[in-house]
């Protein structure tokens, strides 16, 4: 429509990077709050998973990936991580010989992810009945893998191979989805790493299609892959509930010893000094008799909220939390669930926007316009050169204001996917 805010929307590649940088940084920050990071390249979780695979048949889709991780030059990954991150987010505009060397020398990982994407069966080691010291998927290591895979795809794009770039990004998104496990295999660190990997892949895809129309076969393949991810992506509620169970077991096992209870509290709040932890343990000891029941009640409420459609969810802030349980111990392990819920919905919104773009470019306009915005529960809004989600505030800004989480996770602005220019 002439003269409206619709005309103000124009491809702005930087916004993709802004959003993804913030979301990835937020996930890493949340991970740091919840877990003590591993500093070893010989990561305990990778070792455990490889041992687990020895008892499995050859059909586990993670086997080629784990085998390839064993051959990666982690020193070069760490050295070039910042550069790979920038290229993954913003694309290649200049030559980067050192990163190109890393891509070439570790090309086996790209091939392993391709092979894995063709396989369907996936099983992770169970996290049921695990303690706080049990190995978990290493966020930092998996983040480096995500930067490497996405930088490689953007290198193909810059070299004039957008179709190959789109396929590699789709395979990386599949790998990310596989780290978002059902409850018996779930952990928050793995789920956060999986979401970050999906986000990086979608950021790349959205940038590619904002200026290039991939082939029909590639568009169809990407649409089908993203549809499966959209359908099968496990709620973050599973990961939160699994880790809350670990917290509950730790607290109950330490309850009879003030010193052990204090050390358990320090694991979940690393800002606590020894003295403060002992003092807090003394105050919270009176909550131990009702802790188990109240913990279960709290996470039943959280899980129900997270699995419900976004428009009908309550705001899971401190006031809501206190309404669910008076038990202070039960409330202690409670990451910023509201921010995480918005974060996950933003990922699903971008996922579905990319599906809509694929359908539109395939000429399936009616199907594209039938896809629902997870933030509103209604169809996406379409402009002359874009399709948009109303974003976390559920207000349609006509694409004139773009959602930037650094202004606040629940802030104004639309999540926008730009369409490629139409040739004259």
């Amino acid at each position: 429509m002439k003269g409206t805010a619709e005309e103000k929307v124009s491809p702005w590649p930087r916004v993709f990077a802004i959003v993804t940088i913030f979301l990835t940084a937020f996930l890493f920050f949340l991970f740091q709050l919840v877990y003590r990071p591993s500093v070893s390249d010989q990561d305990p979780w990778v070792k455990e998973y490889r041992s687990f695979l020895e008892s499995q048949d050859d059909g586990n889709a993670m086997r080629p990936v784990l085998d390839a991780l064993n051959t990666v030059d982690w020193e070069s990954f760490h050295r070039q991580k910042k550069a790979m991150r920038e290229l993954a987010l913003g694309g290649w505009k200049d030559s980067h010989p050192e990163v190109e060397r890393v891509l070439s020398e570790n090309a086996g990982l790209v091939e392993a992810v391709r092979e894995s994407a063709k396989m369907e069966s996936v099983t992770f080691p169970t996290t049921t009945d695990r303690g706080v010291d049990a190995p978990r998927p290493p966020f930092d290591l998996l983040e480096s893998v995500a930067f490497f895979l996405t930088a490689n795809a953007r290198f193909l794009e810059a070299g004039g191979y957008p179709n190959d770039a789109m396929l590699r990004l789709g395979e990386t998104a599949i790998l990310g989805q596989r780290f978002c496990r059902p409850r018996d295999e779930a952990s928050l660190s793995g789920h956060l790493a999986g979401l970050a990997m999906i986000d990086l892949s979608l950021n790349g895809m959205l940038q590619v299609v904002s200026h290039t129309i991939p082939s029909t076969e590639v568009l169809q393949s990407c649409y089908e892959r993203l549809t499966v991810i959209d359908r099968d992506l496990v709620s973050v509620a599973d990961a939160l509930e699994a880790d809350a169970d670990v917290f509950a077991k730790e607290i109950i096992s330490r309850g009879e010893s003030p010193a052990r209870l204090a050390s358990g509290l320090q694991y979940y709040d690393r800002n606590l000094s020894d003295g403060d932890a002992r003092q807090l343990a003394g105050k919270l000891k009176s909550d131990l008799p009702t802790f188990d029941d109240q913990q279960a009640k709290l996470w039943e409420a959280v899980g129900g909220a997270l699995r419900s459609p976004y428009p009908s969810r309550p705001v899971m802030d401190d006031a809501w939390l206190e309404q669910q349980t008076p038990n202070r111990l039960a409330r202690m392990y409670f990451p910023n669930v509201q921010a995480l819920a918005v974060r996950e919905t933003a990922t699903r919104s971008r996922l579905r926007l990319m599906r809509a773009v694929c359908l539109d470019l395939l000429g399936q306009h009616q199907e594209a316009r039938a896809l629902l915005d997870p933030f509103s529960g209604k169809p996406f809004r379409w402009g002359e050169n874009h399709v948009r989600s109303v974003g976390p505030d559920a207000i349609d800004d006509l694409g004139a204001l773009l959602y930037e989480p650094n202004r606040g996770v629940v802030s104004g602005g639309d999540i926008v996917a730009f369409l490629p220019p139409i040739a004259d």
Side-chain angles (χ1 to χ4, degrees):
M1 219 165 79
K2 303 289 183 186
T4 69
E6 299 277 344
E7 288 188 326
K8 297 180 182 178
V9 178
S10 60
W12 185 17
R14 187 173 68 91
V15 75
F16 297 120
I18 288 173
V19 173
T20 305
I21 287 169
F22 177 83
L23 294 178
T24 304
F26 169 73
L27 289 181
F28 184 74
F29 174 71
L30 182 58
F31 167 75
Q32 293 283 348
L33 287 180
V34 178
Y35 296 108
R36 293 182 174 132
S38 169
V39 296
S40 172
D41 288 341
Q42 300 300 315
D43 184 82
W45 180 82
V46 174
K47 287 183 177 181
E48 180 187 66
Y49 200 171
R50 288 180 61 82
S51 298
F52 170 78
L53 288 175
E54 291 177 2
S55 65
Q56 304 290 304
D57 60 37
D58 292 336
N60 193 323
M62 290 300 294
R63 185 182 294 275
V65 177
L66 267 291
D67 288 343
L69 289 179
N70 199 42
T71 68
V72 163
D73 178 3
W74 292 111
E75 182 179 348
S76 68
F77 264 50
H78 293 322
R79 192 166 55 248
Q80 297 301 322
K81 182 174 181 178
K82 180 179 179 181
M84 290 193 298
R85 173 180 180 269
E86 292 173 353
L87 294 167
L89 292 167
W92 292 66
K93 300 175 181 63
D94 301 301
S95 176
H96 297 270
E98 287 300 309
V99 177
E100 291 178 35
R101 183 182 62 80
V102 173
L103 297 181
S104 176
E105 293 180 354
N106 296 280
L109 179 56
V110 177
E111 293 305 311
V113 173
R114 290 183 66 182
E115 181 182 351
S116 175
K118 299 173 185 176
M119 305 166 71
E120 295 184 0
S121 177
V122 181
T123 307
F124 274 46
T126 60
T127 53
T128 306
D129 298 326
R130 305 300 297 274
V132 293
D133 295 324
R136 290 176 173 81
F139 185 96
D140 191 45
L141 182 150
L142 295 174
E143 184 188 47
S144 296
V145 169
F147 290 148
F148 167 81
L149 294 171
T150 312
N152 177 75
R154 304 304 301 275
F155 179 68
L156 292 171
E157 173 200 10
Y161 300 97
N163 287 324
D164 291 328
M166 290 288 286
L167 292 174
R168 300 296 82 78
L169 290 166
E171 291 154 4
T172 303
I174 291 172
L175 179 62
Q177 185 256 338
R178 286 174 171 167
F179 279 93
C180 301
R181 306 307 302 159
R183 180 167 174 168
D184 287 349
E185 301 173 10
S187 67
L188 188 56
S189 64
H191 199 99
L192 297 181
L195 287 180
M197 201 171 290
I198 294 170
D199 265 330
L200 284 165
S201 303
L202 292 171
N203 171 68
M205 286 184 170
L206 288 166
Q207 289 201 47
V208 171
V209 299
S210 70
H211 56 77
T212 304
I213 302 179
S215 71
T216 298
E217 292 76 16
V218 168
L219 285 170
Q220 187 65 41
S221 174
C222 289
Y223 171 74
E224 291 173 357
R225 284 172 165 172
L226 296 178
T227 299
V228 171
I229 295 174
D230 193 7
R231 181 195 69 198
D232 295 342
L233 185 62
V234 176
S235 170
V236 70
D238 284 49
L240 286 166
E241 289 169 353
D243 278 21
D245 282 349
V246 173
F247 170 70
K249 291 182 178 69
E250 286 294 322
I251 293 301
I252 291 170
S253 70
R254 296 166 181 263
E256 296 303 317
S257 167
R260 293 189 67 234
L261 179 58
S263 67
L265 296 178
Q266 282 181 295
Y267 186 91
Y268 286 93
D269 184 350
R270 291 182 295 156
N271 293 320
L272 286 175
S273 67
D274 291 344
D276 288 342
R278 288 193 297 270
Q279 186 176 19
L280 182 59
K283 291 180 179 178
L284 298 180
K285 188 173 182 180
S286 61
D287 287 4
L288 277 169
T290 61
F291 169 73
D292 199 10
D293 289 341
Q294 289 297 310
Q295 169 87 351
K297 176 186 174 184
L298 171 62
W299 285 97
E300 182 179 0
V302 174
L306 289 173
R307 293 184 178 94
S308 64
Y310 183 88
S312 63
R313 290 179 190 170
V315 176
M316 290 171 280
D317 55 12
D318 289 342
W320 179 86
L321 180 60
E322 290 186 16
Q323 289 175 1
Q324 308 312 307
T325 177
N327 191 289
R328 296 163 296 175
L329 264 177
R331 297 200 305 265
M332 184 168 180
Y333 175 65
F334 198 79
N336 192 336
V337 174
Q338 180 64 24
L340 189 53
V342 173
R343 162 74 180 74
E344 184 175 55
T345 307
T347 298
R348 193 176 291 276
S349 176
R350 282 149 59 86
L351 177 63
R352 214 166 281 178
L353 283 169
M354 188 64 228
R355 290 178 60 205
V357 170
C358 287
L359 285 172
D360 189 70
L361 295 178
L362 287 167
Q364 300 177 42
H365 307 300
Q366 185 174 353
E367 292 88 343
R369 283 154 180 76
L371 289 178
L372 300 181
D373 180 353
F375 279 115
S376 68
K378 300 176 182 178
F380 288 119
R381 314 297 174 89
W382 290 75
E384 183 178 346
N385 66 340
H386 74 281
V387 55
R388 64 184 182 274
S389 159
V390 296
D393 68 347
I395 297 173
D396 183 10
D397 296 293
L398 302 177
L401 178 64
L402 297 168
Y403 173 61
E404 296 184 32
N406 58 326
R407 294 196 301 256
V409 177
V410 182
S411 59
D414 301 333
I415 301 175
V416 179
F418 296 106
L419 300 170
I422 300 175
D424 295 331

